Amino acid sequence: LAMVAGLATLNVMDRHQLVQRAEKYGNLIGEGLRAMQPRFEFLKDVRWRGCIIGIEFGPPKSLGLKAAWAVAHKMDRSLFPQAAIIPLLEDHHIITQVAGHHIDVVKLLPPLVVDESDVKWFLDAFEKVMIDMHKFPGPVWEALSRIGINALGGGRTAAKATEREPVLA
């Protein structure tokens, strides 16, 4: 039964050219992200293989953004990538994930049925998020501050809140 399932999977992959699609659309996303690097100081590197994409952030050169980088890392070394993945999810409905604990890499794993309109949608959304991340202070930094305060135990929680006080998520 397992062999039949495996052969059926390989058949679908061949019939729909999923490996070739992953390479084509992964390259479109990766090259699109790389093209943004000169414009955005936080973008350190973009790596990909097929549709497995890693977006690495690094310390910026400008003084104001250096302060933002330092503050985010001082609160929690895993906090900075959240500045990208939270607005990608909340504002653009794109699911990404931090690649690991205490590293500034976001991973993107689009489905193998992605097409050119999906690539454009993602690149436009990511560019908007990068523009906001490069405004300090700005909306992304306010959200990170709330997260950092809650992580340090200084925020209101559901157990502490009354009916009239908002709960910080």
Side-chain angles (χ1 to χ4, degrees):
L1 187 59
M3 294 301 285
V4 170
L7 289 171
T9 300
L10 291 173
N11 183 8
V12 167
M13 290 177 69
D14 286 343
R15 200 171 60 237
H16 295 285
Q17 299 180 333
L18 295 181
V19 173
Q20 294 85 350
R21 288 179 60 82
E23 183 176 356
K24 175 184 176 181
Y25 293 113
N27 286 340
L28 285 174
I29 295 169
E31 293 299 335
L33 291 167
R34 276 212 178 134
M36 292 182 200
Q37 277 183 272
R39 294 178 38 220
F40 300 115
E41 293 182 51
F42 288 128
L43 280 180
K44 181 178 178 183
D45 195 15
V46 179
R47 297 179 294 277
W48 69 94
R49 184 162 187 103
C51 275
I52 301 171
I53 301 157
I55 305 164
E56 183 176 1
F57 298 106
K61 291 181 174 50
S62 66
L63 188 59
L65 294 179
K66 274 186 183 180
W69 177 266
V71 166
H73 283 84
K74 184 78 171 172
M75 285 194 291
D76 186 317
R77 291 199 47 220
S78 298
L79 186 60
F80 187 83
Q82 302 296 328
I85 67 172
I86 291 171
L88 280 171
L89 178 61
E90 289 182 353
D91 301 338
H92 305 283
H93 310 288
I94 297 171
I95 298 173
T96 57
Q97 187 177 16
V98 177
H101 192 59
H102 290 222
I103 61 172
D104 295 307
V105 177
V106 169
K107 64 182 172 182
L108 175 66
L109 303 165
L112 297 179
V113 295
V114 68
D115 62 23
E116 287 186 35
S117 66
D118 297 323
V119 170
K120 182 178 177 352
W121 177 43
F122 171 76
L123 292 173
D124 289 346
F126 191 79
E127 181 178 33
K128 289 175 186 169
V129 169
M130 286 292 95
I131 289 168
D132 283 346
M133 284 177 68
H134 284 75
K135 294 176 187 171
F136 182 70
V140 171
W141 298 103
E142 292 166 11
L144 284 182
S145 294
R146 286 195 309 269
I147 292 169
I149 289 168
N150 283 337
L152 297 172
R156 304 285 302 160
T157 63
K160 295 180 190 176
T162 66
E163 284 184 35
R164 293 186 180 162
E165 292 178 312
V167 176
L168 296 177

